[in-house]
Amino acid sequence: MNIIVTGASSGIGLQTVLSLSENPENTIIGISRNIESLIGLKQNIFAISYDLTQMPFENLVSKINQIMNAKIDVLINNAGYLILNTFQNTTISDFDSQIETNIKAPYFLIQSLLPNFSNPAHIVNISSMGGFQGSAKFKGLSAYSISKGALSIMSECLAEELSELDIRVNTLCIGSVDTKMLQKAFPGYKAQVSSEEMGKFIANFALTGSRFFNGKVIPVSISTP
C-alpha cells in the first residue's frame, strides 16, 4: 500500500510509520518539519520536510508525486499542535495557530490530494479525547480541544462528501499516550499506553478499519485524561 503520515517525526506518528514499514510491500511517506529521525530508517520509508501551515499545498503535492507515482491508499493526518493556556489568557495567535494546524491543514491537504487517492482509499484523522463530545475537559486546553472537535466533525462531513469517490474517512480520538505532547498538557502524568502501542493500533486501523467504519468518531482511551 501507498501511505502518507503527517506529524511523522516523533511520538505516535513515528511509531505509526515504523509499524507500517514492517510490511515491505508498503511505501510510506512521513511528513514533518523536522525529518532527521526518519532519514535512513528503512528503504520503504521516505521523508518530506514541510510545514503544514504553509498553504496552499502545490509544492508538497509535487514532492509527494516525485516519490509516490502510484495512487495513495491511506492518509493519516496525525500532525497536531497544542498550546497550554487558560481561556482567559489565550490570545488570537494561540487560537489561530492551533486551528491552522489541527483542522485547516488536514482539510486542505485532503482537498489537494483528491486526484491522488486510490479508489477505495482510507483517510484517518487523529483527534483527541478533548475533542470527543461528552468526554472530560481540562483547563488550559479549550482552543486545542475545540480544534480537535472540529476535526471530528470534518471526518463525518467528508465521509459523505467523498463517498462517491469510494474514499472512507474516520477519526480516532486518542486518550493519554506517553508522548511529549501529553507531558506538555499534563506535566508529571504517567500514561498507561506507550506511543509504540498506539502507533501499532493506528497502523492496523488505517489498513483494515475502512472495511468496518466510515464517518465514525471513535474514542481510543482507557483513562481520564
Side-chain angles (χ1 to χ4, degrees):
M1 283 193 168
N2 295 311
I3 305 162
I4 295 175
V5 182
T6 70
S9 64
S10 63
I12 293 172
L14 178 58
Q15 294 302 325
T16 301
V17 168
L18 290 172
S19 183
L20 291 165
S21 71
E22 291 176 2
N23 183 346
E25 295 185 1
N26 289 336
T27 298
I28 306 104
I29 292 178
I31 300 172
S32 182
R33 283 175 292 186
N34 185 346
I35 60 172
E36 289 182 6
S37 60
L38 293 167
I39 295 174
L41 282 178
K42 291 186 179 181
Q43 289 186 341
N44 60 342
I45 297 175
F46 299 86
I48 294 177
S49 177
Y50 196 87
D51 181 350
L52 291 172
T53 65
Q54 301 304 305
M55 294 171 254
F57 289 121
E58 284 88 349
N59 290 339
L60 176 58
V61 173
S62 177
K63 291 180 180 182
I64 290 171
N65 288 334
Q66 290 174 20
I67 296 170
M68 193 176 283
N69 293 323
K71 293 286 189 176
I72 298 165
D73 299 300
V74 174
L75 168 64
I76 303 174
N77 282 311
N78 172 70
Y81 185 57
L82 181 152
I83 297 176
L84 182 64
N85 208 347
T86 62
F87 172 73
Q88 293 92 331
N89 293 324
T90 295
T91 65
I92 293 174
S93 176
D94 290 342
F95 189 90
D96 285 348
S97 60
Q98 291 173 94
I99 291 292
E100 193 165 36
T101 299
N102 297 342
I103 178 63
K104 187 177 177 181
Y107 184 96
F108 286 105
L109 180 59
I110 293 168
Q111 186 187 77
S112 299
L113 289 174
L114 272 185
N116 299 60
F117 282 110
S118 299
N119 307 106
H122 191 198
I123 297 170
V124 180
N125 296 313
I126 305 301
S127 184
S128 164
M129 284 302 295
F132 187 76
Q133 189 173 12
S135 68
K137 301 299 186 287
F138 299 91
K139 291 181 179 179
L141 296 174
S142 61
Y144 176 77
S145 297
I146 288 165
S147 66
K148 286 298 190 177
L151 186 64
S152 298
I153 297 298
M154 184 192 82
S155 296
E156 294 175 334
C157 294
L158 294 189
E160 179 63 27
E161 293 264 6
L162 305 181
S163 59
E164 294 182 357
L165 300 176
D166 202 12
I167 299 174
R168 296 193 172 186
V169 188
N170 292 296
T171 291
L172 297 178
C173 291
I174 307 301
S176 59
V177 179
D178 188 19
T179 63
K180 291 181 180 179
M181 184 173 286
L182 177 76
Q183 287 303 311
K184 186 175 181 180
F186 302 98
Y189 181 82
K190 179 63 177 175
Q192 300 178 51
V193 178
S194 69
S195 57
E196 181 179 4
E197 290 172 315
M198 187 57 72
K200 289 180 179 180
F201 177 87
I202 293 170
N204 181 66
F205 181 83
L207 296 176
T208 65
S210 61
R211 293 175 55 198
F212 308 99
F213 300 98
N214 188 32
K216 299 301 182 285
V217 179
I218 304 167
V220 186
S221 180
I222 58 173
S223 62
T224 303

